[in-house]
Amino acid sequence: MRLNFVILLPPSEGKAEGGSARSKWSPTGGTFGKALGAQRREVAEALAQAGGGSPALLGVSGKHLERARAANRGLIGAPTL
């Protein structure tokens, strides 16, 4: 039996700007951080290496595409609200 995995990502172009430099996103943070930290880091690093994602992956274009890509490239350590 073959399993297909789907990774769901929140839409980066809709994320609120700003945040606190004292509170940075970490793959190991939050309720499931200990259990999913390695996988979260892998996805975040793959997104950064892919330039933040393709138009097909992100489903947006123009200024929304660049905003989404920038958010995805800088996910680890990004300020959180």
Side-chain angles (χ1 to χ4, degrees):
M1 179 164 103
R2 181 181 172 155
L3 297 176
N4 292 316
F5 290 94
V6 176
I7 298 172
L8 301 176
L9 303 170
S12 300
E13 76 281 359
K15 291 181 181 160
E17 294 184 23
S20 169
R22 293 187 321 247
S23 177
K24 296 182 179 183
W25 185 82
S26 168
T28 57
T31 303
F32 301 103
K34 289 182 182 179
L36 298 176
Q39 293 86 351
R40 287 176 173 178
R41 180 173 300 282
E42 185 177 348
V43 170
E45 289 175 351
L47 271 172
Q49 289 175 359
S54 69
L57 172 69
L58 300 172
V60 294
S61 61
K63 66 179 181 177
H64 296 296
L65 176 61
E66 188 46 44
R67 184 168 180 226
R69 284 177 167 167
N72 286 338
R73 285 190 304 262
L75 185 59
I76 297 177
T80 59
L81 296 174

